[in-house]
Amino acid sequence: MNALIELRHSVRQYLIKPIEAYKRDVLDQLTASINEKSGLHIQICYDEPDCFRVSKILGGVKFGGALWGTV
């Protein structure tokens, strides 16, 4: 199984452009609905340059300022 996981490798490149207001509205409505149904507190960060930082140690992207677990 580990060999299969290691074989699957994907690299994503994102454009540096803002998300349109109407798309933000849709995302915010979906997030609010999911939070209400699930009891979660998912948040979307817009225009936050430090949200994703490249980790030279891990060789990938890490989430900055993300809290995992129950608060």
Side-chain angles (χ1 to χ4, degrees):
M1 182 69 156
N2 287 340
L4 293 175
I5 294 171
E6 290 176 14
L7 285 174
R8 186 185 182 285
H9 176 77
S10 63
V11 175
R12 291 168 178 79
Q13 294 180 340
Y14 299 98
L15 299 176
I16 300 174
K17 67 178 193 173
I19 298 173
E20 293 92 340
Y22 76 93
K23 290 181 182 179
R24 286 185 182 203
D25 291 341
V26 171
L27 290 169
D28 290 339
Q29 290 171 12
L30 289 170
T31 303
S33 175
I34 290 168
N35 285 339
E36 183 178 333
K37 291 176 185 175
S38 66
L40 296 173
H41 186 67
I42 296 171
Q43 297 177 352
I44 299 177
C45 296
Y46 300 107
D47 304 322
E48 178 53 58
D50 288 334
C51 186
F52 297 102
R53 285 175 275 171
V54 175
S55 171
K56 293 179 182 177
I57 296 171
L58 300 175
V61 175
K62 66 180 180 178
F63 292 91
L67 297 175
W68 296 93
T70 306
V71 178

